[in-house]
């Protein structure tokens, strides 16, 4: 496969996954903001949303205050924000258009229709009238795209590079979500937390990754930060956990490997081995923030290796 073709497939998947992840986090923050809470708690939640995507400085340069309306506009429709949902949907569509001959007609039509419908919804003011409905729509379109990909694509290199982009992006996002939310909890909940507020805070994290029911099935008990960290970090059966995502990356790299990708494959294997060898007690003793910071750096190294070994070099792509 040509490196440019692989590059388009990989980034098509990453942009689609990123749009869904952003919609998930915005939806949970928006729903939480409708509940009775202090102004400080509301601002902290939206600040964490920006920090997850490392956009605090970019947002602050253009907006003097952090408000729900302005953060939602910035994270959804601002085309100057490279991580906004509209930029991601457009990026996914443009990459899919470049490789129309490599993907099925059904997959192309799904991605193209998503972009066209998203533009129509923005023109009709969907964010002002029903932001929660728009977030659900973005998640649904991502699920539909994934289903069409799984159900119509022949298993081969094209399928694998789409998988590679999706799971690498998902691993990165789960780590960022955990890091930002646990740091915000440590900053804001420094006294005796209110049990009701505490429940809704941690439940919101689970809902943002569709893990609330899964948590109940696994633990059958109260929601605790330690168990959330364990579920989203080390549980191989949780689709959005770090270990599950890295396992998928390792499996895919073993199928697409070439004569120069051994180093990248070893980076991914070592990362998976360390996740499998750790317990949540060891991670918490080390410090969750330190652990996740190191994880993000290593995932970034794997992504850089994939770019160097298979895709268009980053400097040329830029």
């Amino acid at each position: 496969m040509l490196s440019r073709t692989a590059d388009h497939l990989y980034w098509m998947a990453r942009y689609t996954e990123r749009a869904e992840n952003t919609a998930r986090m915005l939806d949970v923050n928006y729903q939480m903001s409708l509940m009775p809470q202090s102004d400080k708690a509301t601002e902290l939640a939206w600040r964490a949303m920006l920090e997850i995507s490392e956009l605090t400085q970019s947002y602050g340069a253009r907006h003097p205050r952090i408000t729900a309306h302005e953060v939602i506009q910035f994270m959804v429709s601002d085309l100057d924000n490279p991580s906004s949902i509209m930029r991601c949907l457009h990026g996914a569509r443009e990459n899919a258009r470049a490789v129309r001959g490599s993907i099925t007609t059904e997959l192309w039509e799904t991605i193209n229709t998503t972009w066209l419908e998203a533009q129509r919804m923005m023109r009709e003011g969907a964010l002002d009238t029903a932001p929660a409905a728009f977030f659900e729509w973005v998640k649904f379109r991502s699920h539909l795209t994934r289903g069409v990909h799984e159900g119509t694509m022949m298993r081969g290199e094209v399928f694998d590079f789409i998988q590679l982009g999706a799971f690498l992006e998902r691993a990165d996002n789960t780590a960022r979500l955990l890091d930002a939310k646990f740091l915000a909890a440590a900053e804001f909940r420094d006294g005796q937390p209110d049990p009701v507020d505490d429940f809704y805070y941690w439940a919101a994290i689970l809902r943002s990754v569709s893990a609330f029911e899964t948590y109940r099935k696994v633990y059958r008990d109260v929601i605790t930060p330690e168990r959330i960290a364990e579920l989203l970090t080390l549980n191989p059966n949780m689709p959005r956990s770090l270990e599950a995502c890295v396992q998928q990356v390792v499996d895919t790299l073993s199928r697409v490997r070439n004569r120069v990708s051994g180093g990248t494959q070893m980076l991914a294997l070592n990362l998976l081995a360390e996740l499998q060898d750790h317990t949540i007690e060891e991670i918490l003793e080390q410090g969750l923030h330190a652990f996740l910071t190191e994880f993000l750096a290593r995932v970034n190294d794997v992504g850089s290796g994939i770019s160097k070994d298979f895709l268009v070099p980053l400097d040329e792509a830029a």
Side-chain angles (χ1 to χ4, degrees):
M1 178 184 293
L2 294 174
S3 60
R4 188 167 293 278
T5 300
D7 187 84
H8 285 304
L9 295 167
Y10 174 85
W11 283 106
M12 177 189 78
R14 289 203 69 158
Y15 281 130
T16 301
E17 183 72 25
R18 191 175 300 174
E20 178 189 347
N21 291 330
T22 302
R24 285 176 175 275
M25 292 183 291
L26 284 170
D27 188 32
V28 169
N29 267 20
Y30 175 73
Q31 300 291 352
M32 289 292 293
S33 71
L34 300 179
M35 298 178 60
Q37 56 185 308
S38 68
D39 292 340
K40 181 180 178 181
T42 302
E43 180 180 340
L44 191 65
W46 290 111
R47 184 181 298 277
M49 176 74 231
L50 295 169
E51 289 173 351
I52 289 171
S53 302
E54 298 183 352
L55 292 169
T56 307
Q57 290 185 346
S58 176
Y59 176 89
R62 301 170 57 186
H63 303 278
R65 296 172 56 247
I66 293 180
T67 65
H69 177 75
E70 290 183 339
V71 173
I72 288 174
Q73 293 287 340
F74 180 71
M75 294 299 299
V76 174
S77 59
D78 192 335
L79 294 179
D80 292 328
N81 171 15
S83 293
S84 71
I85 289 176
M86 292 301 289
R87 274 289 296 270
C88 289
L89 294 180
H90 180 256
R93 189 262 184 187
E94 289 303 296
N95 279 282
R97 183 177 62 85
V99 289
R100 285 185 61 178
S102 298
I103 60 178
T104 60
T105 300
E106 291 84 354
L107 182 55
W108 156 249
E109 289 179 347
T110 301
I111 295 172
N112 187 48
T113 300
T114 298
W115 168 240
L116 296 175
E117 283 294 300
Q119 289 179 293
R120 179 187 62 78
M121 295 173 79
M122 289 298 100
R123 289 195 300 269
E124 295 177 355
L127 288 184
D128 297 321
T129 57
F134 176 76
F135 300 144
E136 284 297 325
W137 178 84
V138 173
K139 289 189 285 182
F140 170 77
R141 294 303 299 187
S142 178
H143 296 162
L144 181 61
T145 300
R146 190 176 303 114
V148 173
H149 164 236
E150 291 276 353
T152 66
M153 291 293 298
M154 180 179 178
R155 271 45 176 176
E157 286 187 330
V158 172
F159 181 91
D160 286 335
F161 278 107
I162 295 175
Q163 291 286 93
L164 201 56
F167 282 105
L168 201 66
E169 181 68 29
R170 188 178 297 180
D172 180 272
N173 183 265
T174 299
R176 291 179 186 276
L177 172 69
L178 276 173
D179 196 24
K181 291 298 185 180
F182 272 75
L183 284 175
E187 178 182 339
F188 186 66
R189 289 163 172 76
D190 52 359
Q192 183 65 30
D194 179 89
V196 176
D197 288 346
D198 219 39
F199 169 81
Y200 281 110
Y201 182 85
W202 296 113
I205 296 175
L206 291 171
R207 293 187 188 281
S208 70
V209 290
S210 297
F212 185 79
E213 290 80 7
T214 300
Y215 182 97
R216 290 301 195 194
K217 291 178 181 177
V218 173
Y219 297 105
R220 302 179 182 275
D221 205 344
V222 296
I223 297 176
T224 67
E226 295 76 16
R227 288 173 175 174
I228 290 176
E230 181 179 46
L231 180 69
L232 298 183
T233 303
L234 302 178
N235 192 314
N237 298 316
M238 172 60 202
R240 291 184 175 272
S241 75
L242 303 186
E243 184 174 329
C245 292
V246 175
Q247 180 69 68
Q248 290 287 344
V249 171
V250 167
D251 293 345
T252 307
L253 283 173
S254 69
R255 294 193 296 269
V256 300
R257 65 180 182 270
N258 58 30
R259 58 184 179 83
V260 299
S261 64
T264 301
Q265 194 172 358
M266 188 57 65
L267 288 174
L269 280 167
N270 288 340
L271 182 55
L272 177 62
E274 290 195 22
L275 287 170
Q276 292 172 336
D277 290 342
H278 272 88
T279 64
I280 193 60
E281 291 78 16
E282 292 171 339
I283 291 174
L284 294 176
E285 183 178 351
Q286 168 190 344
L288 185 63
H289 175 63
F291 173 82
L292 292 173
T293 300
E294 181 183 356
F295 177 86
L296 284 167
R298 295 176 68 176
V299 163
N300 185 62
D301 289 341
V302 173
S304 297
I306 290 170
S307 177
K308 176 173 62 70
D309 298 339
F310 301 104
L311 313 178
V312 176
L314 289 176
D315 54 350
E316 181 181 338

